[in-house]
Amino acid sequence: MDFTEIKTSEELRIHLNAPYVNTIKNNIYHYTSLRSLYEIFKNKSIRFSKLAVMNDVIEMKFAENCSDYFFCLSKEPCGVECFGMWSMYGKLAEFCKEKAPEKIGVKIQFSKEIIDNLRNENVLAFHSVAYLNKENGQCFLGSQKNNNHIPIEQDVLAGYIKDGCWKYENEYRLRKTAESSKTRIGVPISDTLLKDLIVYPSPVSTVEECEKLFRKLEKEYGRVSIFPNFQQNSYEGTFSVHLK
């Protein structure tokens, strides 16, 4: 069923689960801080969170209907760097380099092969996220728009839908069902997959700066067995801003 034809919450949930094979032909990314990157390599795990600690009002309301944990990833729109993602999650601000350099942003590249292996090793689901315009009831998925005023059933769509103000994120999620009272849990990632991760610095940083800071963290807080594979900025010094 085409996204524009969906009329029920269950049809939307099925559609968001279905595009897995088609949507991950290209890489997707996790935006985070340099310190969080260090923790991934030190602990050999990635942190999944419950909806209650997400930054979206809709998701906070849905939290009581969902005990699953999520790891958020983003697909770049048409290969263009997204200013919004860096400013929200990658600590774009120049002052980080002076006041709190460990908070400098990085984005971690996850290939389809890495996603496949994470899913198989940890029994994870993977799905895309739709965005709801609360004022007019329109629902968005990428460049597609649904005008059918889909009734949003919380028990069906918890974790699948966010407020429309975040649609620039183009978000996808790894999802873990686990019995725990914690708001966040660690999901193991193997040495083999860690070696395959590629890390890009934020626009205010360079590869050299990130490598130096990473090794400083390593020295201060304990050794890690594998260094991240830092790469030059995908924009190679020219930052193409994408705003929606």
Side-chain angles (χ1 to χ4, degrees):
M1 178 181 292
D2 187 78
F3 178 73
T4 59
E5 300 173 351
I6 292 172
K7 295 182 179 179
T8 70
S9 288
E10 181 60 20
E11 288 175 349
L12 179 56
R13 185 191 67 81
I14 292 172
H15 186 86
L16 294 173
N17 275 307
Y20 170 71
V21 175
N22 295 326
T23 53
I24 306 304
K25 291 179 180 178
N26 299 316
N27 301 313
I28 53 178
Y29 303 89
H30 178 68
Y31 290 75
T32 189
S33 69
L34 192 65
R35 179 180 290 278
S36 294
L37 171 71
Y38 168 81
E39 294 293 338
I40 289 173
F41 279 83
K42 179 183 176 184
N43 300 322
K44 298 183 181 181
S45 68
I46 52 179
R47 189 175 67 177
F48 281 56
S49 303
K50 283 190 173 181
L51 294 181
V53 295
M54 300 291 186
N55 57 6
D56 179 76
V57 175
I58 290 178
E59 298 210 285
M60 291 177 184
K61 292 180 180 179
F62 285 16
E64 63 184 30
N65 296 289
C66 182
S67 59
D68 289 351
Y69 294 83
F70 302 88
F71 183 71
C72 302
L73 299 137
S74 179
K75 183 180 178 182
E76 289 181 342
C78 303
V80 178
E81 286 289 346
C82 182
F83 182 88
M85 292 302 295
W86 282 116
S87 61
M88 285 296 299
Y89 306 105
K91 296 297 184 294
L92 181 64
E94 180 74 26
F95 75 85
C96 282
K97 293 176 69 173
E98 298 180 4
K99 304 297 183 182
E102 72 277 6
K103 292 183 179 180
I104 283 177
V106 293
K107 70 175 183 181
I108 310 171
Q109 178 177 299
F110 285 76
S111 66
K112 183 179 184 300
E113 290 71 27
I114 293 175
I115 295 294
D116 284 339
N117 279 284
L118 279 171
R119 293 179 71 218
N120 294 332
E121 293 173 5
N122 297 286
V123 194
L124 306 175
F126 181 88
H127 60 80
S128 48
V129 173
Y131 297 90
L132 176 68
N133 185 324
K134 293 183 294 184
E135 294 183 0
N136 59 24
Q138 291 178 334
C139 198
F140 297 86
L141 180 62
S143 61
Q144 301 179 82
K145 181 169 63 176
N146 182 298
N147 294 312
N148 294 329
H149 294 84
I150 302 169
I152 305 301
E153 299 177 31
Q154 294 187 18
D155 57 336
V156 176
L157 291 177
Y160 288 95
I161 197 160
K162 297 181 66 170
D163 190 291
C165 67
W166 303 106
K167 64 187 178 75
Y168 65 85
E169 294 179 339
N170 291 287
E171 189 171 324
Y172 295 83
R173 289 178 167 178
L174 286 166
R175 185 174 187 138
K176 175 71 173 178
T177 299
E179 294 296 328
S180 175
S181 60
K182 296 180 179 179
T183 55
R184 295 182 173 89
I185 59 171
V187 170
I189 179 170
S190 68
D191 286 359
T192 301
L193 297 185
L194 283 172
K195 289 179 181 177
D196 290 338
L197 292 179
I198 295 176
V199 183
Y200 295 90
S202 79
V204 300
S205 309
T206 66
V207 171
E208 291 74 19
E209 286 174 324
C210 283
E211 288 181 327
K212 182 178 179 180
L213 285 166
F214 191 87
R215 283 154 178 72
K216 182 175 183 291
L217 287 169
E218 178 200 37
K219 184 177 180 180
E220 290 180 1
Y221 299 102
R223 295 193 61 82
V224 295
S225 60
I226 304 169
F227 288 118
N229 181 14
F230 284 97
Q231 297 280 323
Q232 182 53 268
N233 299 344
S234 56
Y235 30 80
E236 296 181 350
T238 59
F239 185 53
S240 300
V241 176
H242 181 88
L243 296 174
K244 280 190 177 182

